[in-house]
Amino acid sequence: MVNIVSAAFEEVYSGAMTCDSGRPGSWGRRATGLRREELADLAGVSVDYIVRLEQGRATTPSASVVASLARALQLSTAERDHLYRRAQLVPPVGGAISDHLPPGVQRVLARLGDVAVAVFAADWQLVWWNRGWAALLGDPSASPPRLRNFARDRFPVDAGPAYLALWPVAEGDRDATDAAVVSDLRRATGRFPQDGRLATLIRDLNAGNRRFAELWATGEVAAHREDHKTIYHPSVGPVTVDCDVLTDGDSELKIVIMTAVPGSEDETKLRLTAVAGHIDIKRSPH
């Protein structure tokens, strides 16, 4: 049986053989890509070690060697993490949660039109929303940026107002959603163990919300992927929607999309919020 390390190395190495390493053309050949000698030189290992990796005779590369190979091969984050995992190593994690929306995510969001969409960071901090979202749930722009956090709204530490959903929202299984959000935050602490904003959030909620502290103590790890909600909109009445959560793999951004069943009364109401909600927003002093 082929060793899993050699198999993973072959997967990423064969894909990178035709890559442009950015290295000056000092090897005197016309073909593009990397030779074993070049890869060994860029990664700071011996050619013999590269051959042993290919043949499955080197089975326990260190994290530093895997990191050097990943840099030399110019692997994407996904390819790098795949190589680490196949080598039975923990992939390196970023030091801080990112609020940045990559160009690809921005293109997808722009093409969704008036569908109610918002984007949250890995710690459920709201970083972007569209007009459809503001029309359905109320415009969060008047709320202090620091408090635009779904977990803080979900597990309040005082008697203050909600900062994200300005209208009442009901769910089919609130307990299940509570547990999913908390376990998703625990997963984020494994992905971003050095992030100060996430650490502050967890500390505040553990100290100030009993429900959160109880769920956190269970130690469960999972992701929040879907839900069903009824929004009691002040202009069109109750609107029942499907809430789906898509995750950007690298930065753990959460793209939350609210849609109604096609052809249903809820879909008609959802469309009406785009008119009624925008009128309300324009009249708002904020």
Side-chain angles (χ1 to χ4, degrees), residues 87-164:
Q88 299 183 5
L89 296 169
V90 178
V93 296
I97 289 173
S98 174
D99 294 342
H100 172 67
L101 271 63
V105 173
Q106 294 183 40
R107 286 193 296 271
V108 171
L109 295 173
R111 293 167 185 172
L112 289 176
D114 289 333
V115 174
V117 184
V119 181
F120 295 81
D123 58 351
W124 286 103
Q125 184 73 19
L126 179 65
V127 296
W128 183 94
W129 66 93
N130 67 356
R131 296 180 65 207
W133 181 277
L136 178 62
L137 292 162
D139 189 354
S141 61
S143 303
R146 174 182 171 275
L147 299 179
R148 296 175 196 163
N149 185 285
F150 181 60
R152 288 189 183 276
D153 262 22
R154 192 84 191 179
F155 304 98
V157 298
D158 53 38
Y163 292 100
L164 294 185

Side-chain angles (χ1 to χ4, degrees), residues 11 30 33 70 95 99 125 127 182 235 238 243 251 273-274 277:
E11 289 171 9
R30 296 177 182 178
D99 294 342
Q125 184 73 19
V127 296
V182 175
S235 297
C243 176
S251 60
T273 65

